[in-house]
Amino acid sequence: MIYRKGRTERIVRGQQQRFYGDHLVVGLPHLGLVLHQLDTWGASPRVADEDERLGLALVCLEPSAAVSKVRRQFRSWVNEAVARAEDAGAEAADLDLTLVCLRRLFAQRYAGWLPALGKNRLLERVTGSSVVPVGSSPGDVLPRGRFPGNGARVGVVDSRLRPHPWLDGAVIAAARDLATADGISDRGDADHATFVTGLVLRQAPGAVVDLRAGLRDDGTTDGWSLAKDLADLGARDTDVIQLSVGCRTDDGRPPMVLQEAVRAVGPRTVVVAAAGDHGGPASDGMAPAPVWPAAMERVVAVGALDGEAPADSTPDAPWVDALAPGADVVSTCDVHRDGTGGLGRWGGSAFAAAAVAGAIAARVSDGVDGPTAWRDLAETSKRDHVGRSLVGLRRPSGWPADGRPGRADEY
């Protein structure tokens, strides 16, 4: 159980996913239909939020009340769903059973037609290690220039941004999205947004980063909140959006709310997302489960390089589009926790994704939007043996070398 927005909400853990057990995401055109059916089952549904850009509404309900009725009314459907969950080594949650009965009832009633329905899943930041300070100081690094990347706008959805002098003048953020020197816990990952932003600007020093602190300080968010952040950034003429969060699903399909969010950002914005740090084959020899939104068709999924080879933690899967340095990468962090800045080394696919987002922004110009810049980068970059683009890192003047030998520092 967690406490959020003044009420208790249940987080349910499935095999591959966590989700809010008292939330449904529903398509706006058929919201009334779904609410009526839930009300008939005694689930006390209420609309908590709705967004025309997404075409969706967030509905809170009491699924246990619904299940007590559908167990009697649709006993065979419920028993089938319970048996499938048990065969998979899991337990069917009340929301799962409610969704099964909703979908089967509507399909039966309307000749297979279904309204848009889905869960509100929990997403987690994919980076789990901590930053290690390095000896060099940004005082030894030359100021950012206007090129490459002049005029490009990069949206970053991450945690709150710690102050850093090298980022001054290049970040757009609301006051609530900034962490004061003493206003955030001393977590090992508290520099994440600062590190990611530094990497974007390391690649495209002339760009502007539009930061949204869409992640809580523990590095989590939910699908509905992330979708609204993406829609907001898409409406602000953003060229590139960088994401360091993801989730997996029990059925291996993308969450509906994230699909609608990627659609809502529009055709001139490219979304770049970390592929995750959960590589290695599963016990049955299958590839690791896809991470969403990275594995979506319209999203550039980025894995990490360790030297010139993919990091062991990078999923070996066909939905990974690009690889970039992701081991001992150097970027900005608030070393002394006082806003005076510093540099550190860190690793993970989140930082590889930031490097690719910055490399795309470096190619944005008048008449060249984010998707076009990505296609140009993909066509001109080196590729590995399976065709994934290999994107390198720029080294600004005075910037210390990244920690792994044998890797190019220019893209």
Side-chain angles (χ1 to χ4, degrees):
M1 304 280 283
I2 68 166
Y3 190 78
R4 180 170 177 262
K5 293 183 180 177
R7 61 187 296 271
T8 301
E9 298 176 305
R10 294 179 297 128
I11 291 182
V12 178
R13 183 180 294 276
Q15 287 182 288
Q16 298 277 355
Q17 64 184 348
R18 289 195 292 167
F19 57 91
Y20 288 101
D22 54 356
H23 286 183
L24 275 179
V25 181
V26 183
L28 285 177
H30 309 108
L31 177 60
L33 178 70
V34 175
L35 291 176
H36 174 73
Q37 188 59 56
L38 290 171
D39 190 58
T40 299
W41 290 343
S44 304
R46 66 177 182 86
V47 177
D49 195 7
E50 58 183 82
D51 195 303
E52 293 286 347
R53 301 164 304 177
L54 300 170
L56 300 172
L58 180 67
V59 174
C60 294
L61 69 157
E62 297 176 10
S64 58
V67 168
S68 66
K69 290 197 174 183
V70 299
R71 281 186 183 276
R72 298 191 298 271
Q73 188 175 358
F74 308 111
R75 184 183 302 274
S76 62
W77 295 353
V78 172
N79 289 342
E80 288 175 20
V82 170
R84 283 197 301 270
E86 290 177 348
D87 289 343
E91 181 179 350
D94 287 342
L95 186 67
D96 290 317
L97 299 177
T98 302
L99 267 171
V100 164
C101 292
L102 278 174
R103 287 170 173 152
R104 295 194 65 166
L105 179 63
F106 287 134
Q108 182 184 79
R109 185 179 293 169
Y110 302 111
W113 174 87
L114 292 174
L117 288 168
K119 296 176 180 177
N120 185 24
R121 290 175 170 84
L122 194 74
L123 292 94
E124 299 179 89
R125 191 164 51 208
V126 299
T127 305
S129 61
S130 298
V131 64
V132 177
V134 298
S136 299
S137 166
D140 303 325
V141 180
L142 292 180
R144 294 186 320 275
R146 294 181 59 196
F147 299 99
N150 185 44
R153 191 184 192 99
V154 181
V156 172
V157 182
D158 210 290
S159 53
R160 290 184 289 165
L161 184 78
R162 280 189 175 275
H164 197 288
W166 197 75
L167 307 180
D168 288 349
V171 179
I172 299 171
R176 64 179 178 274
D177 296 334
L178 302 175
T180 59
D182 58 354
I184 189 171
S185 63
D186 193 22
R187 293 173 54 95
D189 56 0
D191 283 297
H192 200 276
T194 303
F195 203 90
V196 163
T197 302
L199 277 170
V200 170
L201 295 172
R202 173 177 170 175
Q203 299 283 69
V208 171
V209 172
D210 190 344
L211 179 94
R212 300 298 175 95
L215 277 62
R216 308 177 189 104
D217 289 341
D218 65 357
T220 65
T221 186
D222 60 272
W224 179 258
S225 299
L226 180 62
K228 288 173 69 73
D229 282 332
L230 291 178
D232 287 344
L233 289 169
R236 291 169 64 88
D237 294 328
T238 306
D239 298 293
V240 188
I241 297 176
Q242 191 273 350
L243 299 175
S244 301
V245 296
C247 69
R248 287 174 278 181
T249 56
D250 287 348
D251 60 7
R253 298 176 182 175
M256 178 196 66
V257 65
L258 297 185
Q259 287 183 301
E260 293 305 309
V262 171
R263 177 196 57 78
V265 302
R268 67 169 306 278
T269 303
V270 62
V271 179
V272 179
D277 299 320
H278 62 292
S283 57
D284 57 4
M286 297 179 65
V291 171
W292 311 106
M296 291 180 185
E297 186 174 346
R298 287 190 54 198
V299 176
V300 179
V302 184
L305 285 171
D306 185 354
E308 296 187 353
D312 291 339
S313 60
T314 290
D316 184 11
W319 49 267
V320 178
D321 302 298
L323 298 169
D328 287 339
V329 175
V330 175
S331 188
T332 47
C333 63
D334 187 17
V335 172
H336 303 293
R337 298 293 187 262
D338 59 2
T340 58
L343 296 173
R345 287 194 176 96
W346 212 339
S349 62
F351 308 127
V356 171
I360 295 171
R363 293 174 180 246
V364 169
S365 61
D366 290 340
V368 179
D369 59 15
T372 304
W374 159 241
R375 287 193 295 270
D376 180 58
L377 176 64
E379 290 170 0
T380 57
S381 63
K382 296 179 180 179
R383 293 179 179 269
D384 68 2
H385 66 287
V386 295
R388 295 175 294 199
S389 298
L390 302 175
V391 179
L393 276 168
R394 292 178 66 252
R395 186 185 299 172
S397 179
W399 205 270
D402 295 297
R404 299 284 176 165
R407 181 175 63 214
D409 283 316
E410 299 292 337
Y411 60 81

